[in-house]
Amino acid sequence: MSQPRVLLEIPVEGNNFTTAGEAASRVKRTLQKLGIDSALIRRVSIATYEAEMNIVIHAEYGKIVLQVDAGGVTVLAEDRGKGIPDLNQAMTAGFSTASDRARAMGFGAGMGLPNIKKCTDQLEIDTQVNVGTKVVMKFTYPTTS
Amino acid sequence: MTLEELVKVIDATVVTGHEKLTAKIRGVYVSDLLSDVIGHAQEGQVWLTIQTHTNVVAVALLLNLAAIIFTAGATPDGETVTKAQNEGIVLLTTALSTYETAGRLYRNQQ
Ligand SMILES: Nc1ncnc2c1ncn2[C@@H]1O[C@H](COP(=O)(O)OP(=O)(O)O)[C@@H](O)[C@H]1O
Ligand SMILES: [Mg+2]
């Protein structure tokens, strides 16, 4: 398989709701320019949006990295922050520790990680309490026959 | 129906995207939970919500939604309007309740 190419590396600020979503938009635009299958772009967009929002809502700061290789697309969301003490609980639909402010804005439904799980072909989450979280999301190109 | 027709059906005011009203809508999605919308709304649909902050524009952009309709008299923040203008997202407002808006759109669908 060819060497992965890093196409974007975008910083994400915790608690900045004004620019939230822009990293996902840039990832989407970049993939559109590459002419990638639109159903795949939709999955990448949804997962990246949720991972970006998790940095904004739950972490201090982080970044979104977009990589492509011959097999597909990889998006990495890495942050410094409080980490996730119980990953199984966090993956449960409806579980959320979002603030009241975030909830009033329509975030904190506890559907972000389940959405990410549904949209990715491969998902790895590395997290350490009071250090940070690294979410690696892999999406495989549809096989052409 | 087209956005132009929809505007009449729900007595809407066009905030941004006047040039895009000839587009045909492909359905309606109703929710104020962003994760619900991002996970389920489909391209070409209009989205009924009372959330007015800038992030709704990001969601509409990512999903290629036809328009965001702020119901029940909700009006978008200044920043939301600016962002929608920059990104080419159609914003509409209506004084009708979400129920009445959805009901009229359901009755007029074809
Ligand atoms: N990057 C992160 N840093 C710290 N905690 C996180 C992070 N992402 C998710 N979590 C934890 O997992 C929970 C569930 O996440 P998610 O399913 O996205 O729901 P929501 O963001 O709506 O709360 C969050 O409420 C939070 O406690
Ligand atoms: Mg989340």
Side-chain angles (χ1 to χ4, degrees):
Chain A
M1 199 168 281
S2 66
Q3 283 281 85
R5 263 195 307 153
V6 174
L7 297 184
L8 291 172
E9 185 164 333
I10 310 162
V12 179
E13 254 182 89
N15 216 32
N16 185 338
F17 286 91
T18 310
T19 54
E22 281 178 11
S25 296
R26 283 183 60 193
V27 165
K28 180 188 171 188
R29 243 179 285 133
T30 303
L31 295 179
Q32 279 174 326
K33 278 187 209 141
L34 294 179
I36 283 172
D37 173 70
S38 65
L40 181 70
I41 293 180
R42 178 182 159 93
R43 289 198 287 129
V44 176
S45 300
I46 294 171
T48 306
Y49 171 81
E50 292 289 9
E52 179 184 5
M53 289 316 304
N54 278 352
I55 298 176
V56 175
I57 299 168
H58 306 293
E60 281 161 33
Y61 64 93
K63 63 178 177 186
I64 297 281
V65 180
L66 170 66
Q67 247 172 239
V68 294
D69 62 37
V73 175
T74 302
V75 177
L76 177 100
E78 194 171 10
D79 69 60
R80 290 282 161 260
K82 63 181 160 88
I84 305 173
D86 183 341
L87 200 50
N88 277 333
Q89 186 183 42
M91 294 298 304
T92 310
F95 175 82
S96 176
T97 60
S99 66
D100 287 345
R101 174 175 174 234
R103 283 170 200 265
M105 294 173 82
F107 303 109
M111 291 167 64
L113 291 173
N115 271 351
I116 291 172
K117 179 87 191 152
K118 210 175 350 156
C119 289
T120 47
D121 294 307
Q122 212 184 313
L123 172 65
E124 283 161 41
I125 303 178
D126 263 325
T127 182
Q128 214 181 323
V129 172
N130 293 326
V131 177
T133 301
K134 182 176 170 181
V135 181
V136 184
M137 304 177 281
K138 291 193 178 159
F139 310 85
T140 335
Y141 296 136
T143 41
T144 44
S145 49
Chain B
M1 78 182 100
T2 65
L3 282 173
E4 221 157 22
E5 289 162 342
L6 172 145
V7 164
K8 290 191 193 115
V9 168
I10 61 164
D11 297 321
T13 303
V14 182
V15 182
T16 63
H18 294 266
E19 69 289 352
K20 292 192 161 178
L21 300 183
T22 51
K24 263 202 158 180
I25 71 160
R26 286 194 231 159
V28 180
Y29 200 78
V30 186
S31 181
D32 296 315
L33 290 177
L34 285 281
S35 279
D36 175 40
V37 179
I38 195 83
H40 297 110
Q42 300 293 324
E43 177 162 0
Q45 291 183 332
V46 295
W47 170 23
L48 272 52
T49 184
I50 54 168
Q51 295 291 353
T52 54
H53 54 80
T54 53
N55 204 255
V56 295
V57 176
V59 169
L61 188 64
L62 285 169
L63 297 176
N64 299 329
L65 300 183
I68 306 172
I69 304 173
F70 301 103
T71 54
T75 47
D77 304 350
E79 270 181 348
T80 305
V81 174
T82 308
K83 195 165 170 184
Q85 263 157 356
N86 293 340
E87 303 286 4
I89 298 294
V90 180
L91 299 185
L92 309 174
T93 59
T94 178
L96 300 179
S97 71
T98 307
Y99 172 71
E100 178 73 25
T101 308
R104 290 194 191 185
L105 293 177
Y106 189 85
R107 210 184 314 131
N108 285 277
Q109 70 183 317
Q110 3 110 346

